[in-house]
Amino acid sequence: MVPARADSRATPEASAESRAPSTASTAFGGFARLRARPDANDVLHYFTSRCWLLMAPTLLGCALVMAGISGSVPDIASALCMVAAAALCLPAPLHAKLERRILHDGWKRYPLMAVAVLLPMALFGFGTARWTNLQPGLHWDVTVNVYVIVVLTATALLESRLTSIIAATVGLWGGGSIVGGSAASFALLALGGAIGLLLAISQARNAASQAQAHSEREREQRRAEQLLHEYEQTGQGWFWETDRMGRITYVSERIAALLGKSTGELEGRPFTSLFMLEAQGQQSERTLVFHLNTRSSFQDLDVRAGTGNGEDERWWSISGRPVLDQFNNFMGFRGSGTDLTEKRRSQQHVTQLARFDSLTKLANRFQMAEWLEKILTSPRVETRACAVFLLDLDRFKQVNDTMGHPAGDALLKQVAERLGGTVGDRGRVGRLGGDEFQVILHGAQQREGLAHLARRIIENLSQPYSIDGARVTIGASVGIALCPDDGTTSEALIRNADLALYAAKGNGRGRHHFYDEDLHSDARERQQLEEDLRDAIANGSLELHYQPQVRTTSERITGFEALLRWKHPVHGYLSPAKFVPVAEETGLVAQIGEWALRTACRDLARWPEEVRVAVNVSPLQFANPALPAIVTQAIATAGVSASRLELEITESVFLGEDKSTESMFAALKGIGVRLALDDFGTGYSSLGYLKKAPFDKIKIDQSFVRGATVPGSRNGAIISSIVSLAEALGMETTAEGVETLDELDLVRMLGCSHVQGYIYARPITVEAATAKLSESLVAVAEGPRSARAPRQTMLRKVMLEHGSHVYYGTIRNISQSGAMIEGLWNVPPGTVFGVHLADDYLMMATARWSKEDRMGVEFAQALELDGTGAVLFTPTRQRRDRADQPELRRVG
């Protein structure tokens, strides 16, 4: 029933139903308290009234009246009895309070009633009767009338407490009967007391039954009111009521608040003003008006609330019925409503999920496939051209594993924003799932333009991200397929773009790759490599080779780094760069890492005590809570000291910087192993983790050692800073990748405590390492004095400008400082060219030598390297006026 206000026109039933809802504490908590401990004024359960103290002045007043009428005073005994009776009535509030502390069904309340009610009345009766017998001037008719007055007063003060009234009456007349009373009077008094007791018992039973029935009715009513109130307050529904003219007489406060008004402002307004009846095409709204006019019931009508448009739009489902009085006169409508807004939004959300990614709000796989299919099935052949980009984020799984999936979701949102901003209006961007994205460009596309867009995407997505206060850096790889060159169906284009993506990732990640027919054979080769790697793990075909780590001051071997090697049964030794990525993607790296840890400890047991072994720990291994147990078991099985084992950990484990990382470091240090920070300076950019991480050594990445001896290089300053930082933190330093004597002299001068590289030895087998240690721990540096910049082999068409002439050539190899270009004959040394390495990328270069159709050029400015050591073609827009360049001579 609807909680409506009482109305002069409402029926008695409606008036009863319109009681305002009570709170939960009143409805249920109050009733529970009533059952547990009755109310203080409950005449059924409590015998003593706080008003009983008024009996004291009543008794004293009656005694004064008797003295005035008789002209006498009571003797001492009579007076003491009457005064004692009045005194016993005075602590009535204390007696009532004490009785409240006694369970209402306990026997202790009866002695309390006897002391508080029966005893004072008996003393007063005894005192007055004694006074009457001793004073001839005081007659019994006066005393009897006083008794009547006292009994009536007691009845009033005891407030219908029948048991107490009977006790007071019996006590008063019983006290009087003691003085000269006969046996007959005592018998009559006993009879009257028994009759009164029976009446009290009967009344108590009736009162108990009535109280129980009343409590049940009250509980049901409160429960109904509370349920209706909660129904309103929780937003599950609301109620309304109108008069016979259709004006609002009641509406829930919540609805009034949604409409931006108070209930007082809505009362008296037409009920239809709550809705937008002018909206077109709403059959339910016209039906509402029809039902209101015809005074007929209606149910579950959808109406639009009059709250405005846009985000404030709300929809309700309302039901109502006419209210009639006892004479069947129409009194108005009463009904309820529920909110349909969330249901409608859920329906819209379902539609959104069917076509859009819920996390990034980009188009999902279904919509992208639908759009691509629409392009490829266009009626006109010339409009079917398009390009498909497949993107995969590099190192995203590492972010998920170390920082958690919420951080990964936040990263994906930022990636989606950057990707959409980079592509712009050129195409449509979608997320296929996980860290895979897709870009579709409609229309004929030039490969140069696509390559430029791919480089921009990779560059923008590789910029650092801020996730939960931490700085995160990832990369991206892009595979590209074109229609109709690489396929004319959506399945073929997606498959070929996926193969191109794998090729881009296989070439070092952070690259783009166009589809080529050779990629099919590469995919088969990769699948075969994965199968062979699984077989190698099962058959024990993997090996550990060891590269010595040498102390710079004494040139003695202090330890070896364990390096993974695999001798393929067909291809021979494979580079770890070829099969380790396969192990990471297939989840085999944890199994391989555990095997390497056990094998290194077993080999370490054969070496001198002063020699240590260093084993690399991948981020996946580090995130495994069982790692300390695995390390402990490997050390115990090999029987070596924990301090001889050094675990090399990369900076990527600090991407999360959570408590689990600190706990893992504490557990490993508790074992007693040494910890080394590997590839320092190439990953996580923050140095804050060094304050907490208990490293024993920092390994300087070889990218800082390479080129450190080249004039103008800043690598030496970086190495010096790292050494100073390590010394301040009490850590050792190891310079990796030292290959020349010049580099060895530099790192020794800069204070590196250890050196690792080809200058002392290449990685060797465990047998060779054991033999070396058995001879001597002294290492001898052997190698070239200096090294040229590392070169990268490639076939790349370039355009060369010299004066007003333009030439075309092919780059055969390239380094940071120069390149070998093929296609120009007999170029004089010293000739200056403007070399177009990429779109909008002009690099000035000088010819240093020439032989037949090949020449070596030196760049005016060093090129940049990416994280893998490959050359980056970052536009610098370096140009010079062609008028300043000399003419090219003897060009064939």
Side-chain angles (χ1 to χ4, degrees), residues 20 56 85 176 199 214 245 248 261 264 283-284 308 315 338 359 395 556 563 644 680 724 754 809 827 831 841 864:
L199 292 175
H214 177 74
M245 302 300 295
I248 298 172
K261 300 182 181 300
Q283 179 65 28
S284 60
W315 287 82
T338 56
L359 178 64
R395 301 184 297 277
R556 290 176 62 86
L563 300 172
R644 298 179 62 194
F680 180 74
S724 300
H754 292 77
V827 179
T831 305
Y841 191 177
E864 296 182 5

Side-chain angles (χ1 to χ4, degrees), residues 530-546:
E530 178 184 341
E531 296 176 0
D532 294 344
L533 182 58
R534 294 183 182 275
D535 294 338
I537 296 174
N539 301 331
S541 301
L542 298 178
E543 303 175 10
L544 284 184
H545 287 194
Y546 297 92

Side-chain angles (χ1 to χ4, degrees), residues 703 706 790 792 814-816 862-872:
S703 61
R706 300 284 173 81
Q792 176 185 344
I814 192 171
S815 68
Q816 281 186 279
L863 298 177
E864 296 182 5
L865 297 178
D866 63 8
T868 63
V871 173
L872 284 175

Side-chain angles (χ1 to χ4, degrees), residues 271-403:
F271 178 61
T272 54
S273 65
L274 300 180
F275 316 110
M276 299 183 66
L277 298 180
E278 67 276 8
Q280 297 297 323
Q282 296 295 333
Q283 179 65 28
S284 60
E285 293 169 359
R286 294 198 297 272
T287 304
L288 171 62
V289 175
F290 169 80
H291 283 295
L292 293 177
N293 290 335
T294 58
R295 300 178 179 178
S296 59
S297 299
F298 54 91
Q299 187 172 5
D300 297 332
L301 298 182
D302 294 351
V303 292
R304 182 178 177 183
T307 56
N309 298 317
E311 296 181 356
D312 294 333
E313 181 180 274
R314 306 195 71 86
W315 287 82
W316 294 326
S317 174
I318 61 173
S319 302
R321 65 178 181 83
V323 178
L324 306 177
D325 62 11
Q326 61 267 37
F327 305 108
N328 286 333
N329 293 321
F330 175 70
M331 304 301 297
F333 270 92
R334 180 179 296 162
S336 62
T338 56
D339 198 330
L340 292 179
T341 306
E342 293 302 324
K343 181 179 179 180
R344 284 183 170 253
R345 289 177 180 172
S346 297
Q347 294 173 348
Q348 295 175 355
H349 184 60
V350 170
T351 304
Q352 183 82 359
L353 290 178
R355 300 183 60 80
F356 292 90
D357 177 57
S358 60
L359 178 64
T360 62
K361 310 307 178 185
L362 296 176
N364 61 7
R365 183 187 295 270
F366 171 77
Q367 186 177 176
M368 294 298 288
E370 184 182 66
W371 199 56
L372 179 60
E373 191 66 30
K374 183 178 180 180
I375 294 174
L376 298 178
T377 56
S378 175
R380 300 177 58 184
V381 176
E382 59 272 18
T383 60
R384 298 176 187 173
C386 64
V388 176
F389 284 27
L390 284 185
L391 289 83
D392 191 70
L393 302 182
D394 302 331
R395 301 184 297 277
F396 174 75
K397 187 176 185 301
Q398 185 175 328
V399 176
N400 255 351
D401 292 338
T402 56
M403 299 184 65

Side-chain angles (χ1 to χ4, degrees), residues 463-710:
Q463 297 300 316
Y465 299 82
S466 177
I467 306 295
D468 295 334
R471 189 177 182 186
V472 177
T473 302
I474 60 172
S477 302
V478 181
I480 308 173
L482 285 78
C483 176
D485 298 349
D486 303 326
T488 56
T489 65
S490 59
E491 293 81 4
L493 283 174
I494 297 299
R495 181 185 66 247
N496 294 338
D498 197 32
L499 290 174
L501 174 60
Y502 271 106
K505 296 172 66 175
N507 289 338
R509 302 175 182 264
R511 302 169 182 269
H512 70 276
H513 201 289
F514 285 91
Y515 168 76
D516 186 88
E517 292 183 358
D518 295 337
L519 295 180
H520 284 285
S521 60
D522 294 341
R524 289 192 293 269
E525 179 183 351
R526 185 181 185 87
Q527 183 178 4
Q528 185 63 45
L529 185 65
E530 178 184 341
E531 296 176 0
D532 294 344
L533 182 58
R534 294 183 182 275
D535 294 338
I537 296 174
N539 301 331
S541 301
L542 298 178
E543 303 175 10
L544 284 184
H545 287 194
Y546 297 92
Q547 188 173 30
Q549 297 175 339
V550 181
R551 186 177 296 277
T552 55
T553 55
S554 62
E555 289 197 315
R556 290 176 62 86
I557 299 175
T558 60
F560 290 89
E561 180 181 0
L563 300 172
L564 185 64
R565 295 292 183 264
W566 177 25
K567 189 175 183 179
H568 193 275
V570 177
H571 306 293
Y573 279 108
L574 296 179
S575 170
K578 188 174 182 65
F579 67 86
V580 169
V582 176
E584 291 177 345
E585 293 179 4
T586 56
L588 298 174
V589 66
Q591 185 177 353
I592 294 174
E594 183 175 347
W595 169 85
L597 185 63
R598 299 181 185 276
T599 304
C601 289
R602 186 182 65 241
D603 295 340
L604 178 63
R606 304 162 56 183
W607 298 341
E609 286 293 329
E610 61 267 32
V611 176
R612 295 190 292 262
V613 68
V615 181
N616 289 279
V617 176
S618 70
L620 288 178
Q621 286 179 277
F622 190 84
N624 182 9
L627 178 61
I630 295 173
V631 173
T632 303
Q633 185 177 3
I635 293 173
T637 303
V640 297
S641 173
S643 60
R644 298 179 62 194
L645 176 62
E646 189 171 85
L647 302 181
E648 295 190 358
I649 302 168
T650 59
E651 296 170 302
S652 57
V653 302
F654 297 102
L655 283 174
E657 282 197 271
D658 53 14
K659 293 184 178 179
S660 62
T661 303
E662 298 180 14
S663 301
M664 180 60 71
F665 275 116
L668 294 176
K669 290 302 292 184
I671 298 173
V673 299
R674 289 169 54 88
L675 300 178
L677 180 58
D678 198 14
D679 299 335
F680 180 74
T682 61
Y684 190 50
S685 60
S686 173
L687 297 179
Y689 59 84
L690 289 178
K691 296 184 298 183
K692 301 178 181 179
F695 287 112
D696 301 286
K697 179 189 292 185
I698 292 178
K699 300 192 71 176
I700 303 173
D701 189 73
Q702 61 181 354
S703 61
F704 297 120
V705 177
R706 300 284 173 81
T709 58
V710 176

